[in-house]
Amino acid sequence: MSERDGDGADAERDRAATVDAIVDVVADSAEDIRSGLVGRRGKAGRENPSGEVQAEADVYADDLLEERLSAIDGVAEYASEERADVIDCGGSAADPDAVAVAVDPLDGSSNLEPNNTMGTVFAVYDEPLPAPGTSIVVSGWVLYGPITTMALARDGTVTKYELSGDEPTVVEEDVTIPDDPLVYGFGGRVPDWPDDFADFARAVESDPSHKLRYGGAMIGDVNQVLTYGGIFAYPALDGSPRGKLRLQFEGNPIGHLVETAGGRSSDGSRSLLSVEPNELHDRVPLHVGTAELIDRLEATLE
Ligand code: P6P
C-alpha cells in the first residue's frame, strides 16, 4: 500500500474514487446509526481494547461501518476504537493505491444515558495502520445533534454538510476556526490534572472573554471549538500520562481537521500529526483549538 507504481494520474484517480466511496458510506450510514441508537443504550457486557465498557450502540455502529467500509474496493484495512486488531479487507490490499480507514464508530457513547451529543469520527490514511497523522488523506466527523451534520477535511479545505436529506447538503465551505477564542472545554478531573495544565486551565477560565462549553463527548466539544473558536483538551493526567483519548481514532482525525481549518493541535509539545504511533490503541494528550491558545498551552507545559 505504501509503494506507488503505475501511472501517477491513474493512481490518484483510483484513490480519489475510493475516498469518495468512503465518505459516501459514512454519510449514508449516519441515519442508520442514529436510528440504531434507540434500544441500544445499555452495556454490551464486554470491554473495548482501551478497557472501557462498551455500549450496545458502540458495537452496533462498529459492526455496521466495518461491514460497509471493508467492502469498498481500495480499502485495504479497517480499524476501530472498538476492535483490538486491524481488519485486513482482502484482495484490495494488493492494490498499491489502497487506503486504510480508522474509525471511532460512536464517540461519546457515555452520553447515551443523558441523551447528549455523540458522533462518528473517521480518518483515511494512505499507509498501513498504525500510522502518523501526516499520512491522513481525509478526516471528518458526523455529529448526531439536533441535526445530523458532517464536517470533512479534504484537499486542504474543510466543508460542513447537513445529512438530513437524501444527499448531503453543503452548509459551509472553506470553514476556518475563528481567530478569537471564545469557548473552552477540558476533560478529566481537576485533581488529576498535572500542575502545569491546571495553571493553564485556570488562566483560560479566568479570562472574562471565555465561556465554558463541555458536553462530555470530544466530538461535540471539538465541533463547538471549530464553530466559535477556543480550545478543547483532554490532557495528560497524573494517573495516565498519555491521557485518555486515542491517537489513531481521535487525536489524528481531529488534529487533521482542525489544522486544515487553520487551527492547531498539540500533544503538549508538538502537532498531534507528528506523534509517531507505537501501538494501534496508543493514547495521546489531546489539545486542539485556536493558535493563540495552543501556543500559550505549549509555553506553559514546557
Ligand atoms: P470522561 C467519550 O467516551 C470520550 O472518549 C470522549 O468523547 C470524551 O471527550 C471523553 O471520553 C470523556 O471522558 O473521562 O470525561 O468521561
Side-chain angles (χ1 to χ4, degrees):
M1 180 173 8
S2 50
E3 294 78 41
R4 294 276 175 266
D5 61 21
D7 173 4
D10 286 345
E12 281 310 312
R13 206 166 24 252
D14 292 348
R15 195 173 334 121
T18 300
V19 170
D20 287 342
I22 292 166
V23 174
D24 288 349
V25 160
V26 172
D28 295 347
S29 300
E31 283 313 314
D32 292 335
I33 291 175
R34 188 184 187 103
S35 59
L37 300 179
V38 178
R40 292 188 173 92
R41 299 166 74 181
K43 299 302 180 197
R46 61 191 213 206
E47 292 183 347
N48 69 14
S50 301
E52 297 157 346
V53 175
Q54 292 177 314
E56 292 165 316
D58 285 319
V59 176
Y60 164 76
D62 182 38
D63 288 346
L64 181 149
L65 290 170
E66 188 275 330
E67 180 187 358
R68 295 179 184 180
L69 291 171
S70 59
I72 296 171
D73 263 351
V75 172
E77 295 183 339
Y78 172 92
S80 97
E81 192 176 283
E82 306 304 331
R83 292 171 191 258
D85 303 312
V86 176
I87 306 285
D88 181 337
C89 302
S92 60
D95 177 351
D97 305 308
V99 296
V101 186
V103 181
D104 180 356
L106 191 61
D107 178 70
S109 54
S110 52
N111 275 349
L112 279 163
E113 282 190 59
N115 191 29
N116 230 345
T117 295
M118 287 161 273
T120 294
V121 187
F122 68 101
V124 181
Y125 294 80
D126 70 2
E127 62 177 280
L129 300 177
T134 45
S135 64
I136 287 182
V137 176
V138 165
S139 63
W141 60 73
V142 172
L143 207 54
Y144 309 113
I147 299 169
T148 306
T149 58
M150 179 168 70
L152 188 72
R154 184 174 186 180
D155 298 329
T157 186
V158 173
T159 307
K160 281 188 177 178
Y161 302 85
E162 286 183 357
L163 302 183
S164 45
D166 293 338
E167 288 296 316
T169 306
V170 174
V171 291
E172 189 178 350
E173 292 181 306
D174 198 19
V175 175
T176 53
I177 187 170
D179 290 329
D180 295 333
L182 178 62
V183 300
Y184 66 90
F186 301 139
R189 299 172 192 270
V190 176
D192 297 335
W193 292 343
D195 292 345
D196 53 8
F197 182 80
D199 292 343
F200 169 76
R202 264 194 299 278
V204 173
E205 291 162 352
S206 62
D207 184 323
S209 66
H210 298 160
K211 292 199 282 191
L212 172 63
R213 284 290 182 275
Y214 186 76
M218 165 204 59
I219 201 56
D221 296 321
V222 168
N223 202 60
Q224 285 191 100
V225 168
L226 179 65
T227 305
Y228 295 124
I231 186 169
F232 169 81
Y234 204 109
L237 303 174
D238 287 337
S240 171
R242 299 301 292 161
K244 172 182 183 182
L245 302 183
R246 278 59 45 148
L247 178 66
Q248 292 296 298
F249 311 106
E250 294 162 314
N252 278 342
I254 298 310
H256 178 263
L257 194 147
V258 170
E259 291 189 12
T260 304
R264 284 194 56 210
S265 76
S266 177
D267 69 347
S269 57
R270 69 181 66 74
S271 165
L272 291 170
L273 306 186
S274 305
V275 177
E276 277 300 326
N278 298 307
E279 305 290 336
L280 183 62
H281 294 279
D282 280 353
R283 297 179 193 269
V284 69
L286 187 154
H287 318 80
V288 290
T290 46
E292 172 203 328
L293 285 180
I294 299 296
D295 286 341
R296 201 192 304 178
L297 166 93
E298 292 187 342
T300 307
L301 300 196
E302 267 173 349

